[in-house]
Amino acid sequence: MGLSEDLLEKVENQKEKIGELLVKHTSLTRQQLDEALELQRIDGGLLGDILLKKNYIHPHDIIKVICHQIDIPYLNELKIDEIDPNIVKDISINYAKHHEVLPILETDYTVTVALANPFNFNAVNDLHAIFKKEVKTVVTTPLRIQDAINRVYEKANRNLVDDIGDEQFEENLDLDGPIDILDATADEAPVIRFVNSIIFRAVKERASDIHIEPYDKETVYRFRVNGVMQEVLRQPKRTHAAVSSRIKVMAKLDIAEKRLPQDGRIKIKIAGKDIDIRLSTIPIQAGERIVMRILEKNNTVLRLENLGFRGKVLEGLIELSGHKHGVLYVTGPTGHGKTTTLFAVLERINTPDKMIITVEDPVEYELPGISQIQVNHKIDLSFAIALRSILRQNPDVVMVGETRDKETAEMAINASLTGHFVLSTLHTNDASSAPTRLIDMGVQPFLISSSLVGILAQRLVRTLCPNCKIAAEMSEFEKVALDIDKPPKGSSVYKAVGCPKCHGTGYSGRTVVSELLLINDEIRALIIQKTDSATIKKAAIRSGMRTLRQDALDKIFEGTTSVEEIIRAINSEEEDKS
């Protein structure tokens, strides 16, 4: 834990001399103090700073002295066994670790909180809002706080796993229809309650994925929240077999098969909401690694406007959604909302006079009025085979979940040339790379130029929590990373802080950063000539395309996201900086 200049100045201004207090309450000797005072007389500066640089005291010795002066108890140890683990049920472990804060005692009218920094008033105010009681503070070292946090949160989950052994499950359990995990009672097997609690916590924290990773001595549980992995729990390795079997039973998979990957689906209810979970297991050295993708089936699809699209990109997508034929590709990395965007486009054109068919792997959104086909590789129902059959159904609009190979790409393009509007996704870093990616697959350039009407590239970035974000100045490093001299006049730059409402992350939700390349005659000519993506990008910019980087900067300067998030989510080396 570092000490700021402000904190050292507070120490210097105490009513009793800092040196005498440090000699009295720490291991500092009189000789060391006299040496530091002489250095202060010669060179100036803060006495506390001098003592720290000489390694005569530890940073938390300063805190100990401050606590003595302002009458806040300083604890040399925390009695973990006396802390009720239920006291932390409404506080995420990420928030506790980030702020180095832990509630340790609750009464009818007060809650006592251990802090590493006695001046962490934001955390005190947050806990006052959570408990709605007077907050009393005690102080201890950051090391003791972090150790106590780990042990108390582990203790909070121990009751659910102490009885989990090598439990076996019958495959003929009644799992028809959604399972309501909130209906589980205390009489349920411990492993059932534990798995339910993990799923419930993930849904509550709006996680998109649950990762269960076995290692030699323990199993690590991690959530992906707003695109970022967060560790939430560690459990003894002995619990993993039972947890794995329970999850596979819920998905109606073979619990005896542990050597091959398996995929399945789980339908559950949480507080009346239908939740669809896509399950994937793979064998690794220490056991079976499990990933559960969580999809909330609320039967609503976000509109383009609500996803973060605006300006020329939004206008272009609305215009493209009215096309009678052609191919619209959405590109970007896995997990960055490509399918969600495609369904937002489909939602605009889903009218009774349109016949729409999709082929997906898997079906993530269910829309009334749209015929949806699930790819099934076990019976050789691939994208290409399904697409070939779809065209015999005389659709107006076709959506192909992903273009993975030459056959699928050529069939989609040929479908567009015969009067169908085709939507699909492609894995490229930006919009201008899509034509070259299709050429690399083996598709003829003249087919690409004749069929393409637009290419949308997108990334999802986390949006700042409105409850705790604070204004900030851009550092020189950040300016260099974004290749700007200074923020535009009148703009606002904010940074993430963290509060209970955002589970200590500083972010809440995600928005889209995008670029839309509309195909014109110049770009068609470049595609036919097999021109590189950089040249295509420059031509698109001349035609008015705003790049991913430009849209990302707009999101920063309007206060939607932070510089750190843009640097994390978007590789600036891939962006055009001209």
Side-chain angles (χ1 to χ4, degrees), residues 160 163 167 183-193 196:
L160 286 174
D163 296 329
E167 299 190 30
D183 282 345
T185 66
D187 295 331
E188 296 275 21
V191 67
I192 294 177
R193 288 185 284 124
N196 288 352

Side-chain angles (χ1 to χ4, degrees), residues 202-299:
V203 173
K204 181 180 178 182
E205 296 187 13
R206 305 185 70 84
S208 61
D209 302 87
I210 302 171
H211 290 247
I212 304 176
E213 306 160 9
Y215 296 102
D216 288 341
K217 296 182 179 179
E218 60 187 357
T219 301
V220 177
Y221 293 77
R222 296 197 291 169
F223 294 165
R224 186 180 294 278
V225 182
N226 293 327
V228 178
M229 295 290 283
Q230 299 176 2
E231 182 179 320
V232 296
L233 191 63
R234 287 176 179 255
Q235 292 300 328
K237 175 69 180 299
R238 63 185 174 83
T239 66
H240 183 68
V243 170
S244 174
S245 294
R246 170 58 186 167
I247 291 172
K248 288 199 286 186
V249 164
M250 294 173 71
K252 299 181 181 179
L253 299 180
D254 183 0
I255 64 173
E257 181 55 76
K258 300 180 181 180
R259 300 166 300 170
L260 296 174
Q262 295 190 72
D263 295 316
R265 303 185 78 164
I266 302 171
K267 291 184 178 181
I268 61 173
K269 278 183 177 290
I270 297 181
K273 293 182 179 179
D274 290 324
I275 306 294
D276 192 18
I277 297 176
R278 285 162 40 194
L279 175 67
S280 173
T281 72
I282 59 170
I284 61 175
Q285 187 174 5
E288 286 184 287
R289 192 183 192 281
I290 299 171
V291 176
M292 294 187 281
R293 169 68 60 88
I294 300 171
L295 299 167
E296 184 174 334
K297 288 191 164 290
N298 52 16
N299 294 322

Side-chain angles (χ1 to χ4, degrees), residues 49 136 143 200 247 302 494 511:
D49 201 9
K136 295 183 177 180
L143 187 61
F200 178 75
I247 291 172
L302 291 174
Y494 293 87
T511 190

Side-chain angles (χ1 to χ4, degrees), residues 10 70 72 95 115 117-127:
K10 287 179 182 179
I70 60 180
I72 293 180
Y95 179 85
L115 299 163
N117 180 359
F119 298 103
N120 191 349
F121 301 119
N122 288 334
V124 172
N125 291 335
D126 288 341
L127 293 170

Side-chain angles (χ1 to χ4, degrees), residues 56-116:
Y56 289 159
I57 61 173
H58 297 291
H60 229 258
D61 288 334
I62 299 288
I63 298 294
K64 187 184 293 185
V65 168
I66 291 175
C67 290
H68 174 79
Q69 286 295 87
I70 60 180
D71 295 325
I72 293 180
Y74 186 92
L75 301 183
N76 289 316
E77 73 170 313
L78 287 174
K79 296 180 179 179
I80 309 298
D81 293 339
E82 296 179 7
I83 300 175
D84 181 359
N86 291 323
I87 199 172
V88 299
K89 66 181 185 300
D90 293 324
I91 302 168
S92 75
I93 190 172
N94 293 325
Y95 179 85
K97 286 187 172 183
H98 178 73
H99 289 277
E100 295 181 324
V101 56
L102 180 69
I104 58 174
L105 179 65
E106 184 178 11
T107 67
D108 291 340
Y109 304 103
T110 66
V111 57
T112 302
V113 177
L115 299 163

Side-chain angles (χ1 to χ4, degrees), residues 267-502:
K267 291 184 178 181
I268 61 173
K269 278 183 177 290
I270 297 181
K273 293 182 179 179
D274 290 324
I275 306 294
D276 192 18
I277 297 176
R278 285 162 40 194
L279 175 67
S280 173
T281 72
I282 59 170
I284 61 175
Q285 187 174 5
E288 286 184 287
R289 192 183 192 281
I290 299 171
V291 176
M292 294 187 281
R293 169 68 60 88
I294 300 171
L295 299 167
E296 184 174 334
K297 288 191 164 290
N298 52 16
N299 294 322
T300 59
V301 177
L302 291 174
R303 297 179 180 273
L304 289 169
E305 297 88 335
N306 297 335
L307 295 178
F309 295 108
R310 60 185 184 178
K312 289 186 176 181
V313 174
L314 178 59
E315 293 171 5
L317 287 174
I318 292 173
E319 178 188 350
L320 288 171
S321 65
H323 276 229
K324 301 296 183 184
H325 57 83
V327 181
L328 169 63
Y329 278 111
V330 179
T331 75
T334 300
H336 278 258
K338 298 187 297 296
T339 302
T340 302
T341 297
L342 286 181
F343 271 94
V345 174
L346 286 179
E347 191 272 339
R348 290 193 62 87
I349 58 181
N350 184 19
T351 56
D353 62 332
K354 294 278 197 330
M355 199 285 214
I356 304 173
I357 302 182
T358 73
V359 52
E360 307 167 58
D361 184 21
V363 174
E364 294 188 9
Y365 298 93
E366 294 180 6
L367 287 184
I370 294 180
S371 301
Q372 297 174 262
I373 300 173
Q374 167 79 53
V375 167
N376 189 339
H377 296 289
K378 293 180 181 178
I379 58 174
D380 291 329
L381 181 59
S382 64
F383 281 110
I385 292 173
L387 184 55
R388 185 180 296 113
S389 299
I390 283 174
L391 297 180
R392 300 192 190 108
Q393 297 280 317
N394 191 28
D396 297 298
V397 179
V398 177
M399 194 273 273
V400 182
E402 185 177 349
T403 299
R404 298 176 177 173
D405 50 45
K406 176 184 177 182
E407 185 180 9
T408 304
E410 286 186 338
M411 291 198 65
I413 288 172
N414 288 328
S416 73
L417 295 175
T418 55
H420 303 87
F421 184 44
V422 181
L423 302 93
S424 188
T425 68
L426 197 64
H427 287 288
T428 62
N429 289 325
D430 56 13
S432 59
S433 299
T436 56
R437 174 76 180 107
L438 291 169
I439 292 172
D440 290 342
M441 284 183 180
V443 182
Q444 293 297 324
F446 73 90
L447 290 175
I448 301 170
S449 65
S450 301
S451 60
L452 272 184
V453 293
I455 306 163
L456 174 74
Q458 67 177 59
R459 301 284 192 282
L460 290 180
V461 298
R462 294 180 294 174
T463 54
L464 288 163
C465 174
N467 298 292
C468 62
K469 69 178 183 180
I470 60 172
E473 295 290 332
M474 290 183 66
S475 68
E476 289 303 316
F477 168 78
E478 291 171 339
K479 292 176 184 176
V480 171
L482 297 177
D483 194 28
I484 60 172
D485 296 326
K486 60 181 180 180
K489 190 174 182 180
S491 64
S492 300
V493 178
Y494 293 87
K495 70 175 183 179
V497 177
C499 66
K501 289 188 177 180
C502 60

Side-chain angles (χ1 to χ4, degrees), residues 503-534:
H503 303 289
T505 64
Y507 297 93
S508 176
R510 291 194 286 179
T511 190
V512 69
V513 172
S514 60
E515 65 182 17
L516 179 61
L517 192 161
L518 298 174
I519 307 299
N520 56 27
D521 291 340
E522 181 184 4
I523 292 174
R524 286 192 181 94
L526 293 174
I527 293 173
I528 290 176
Q529 297 167 17
K530 296 186 179 181
T531 308
D532 62 90
S533 61

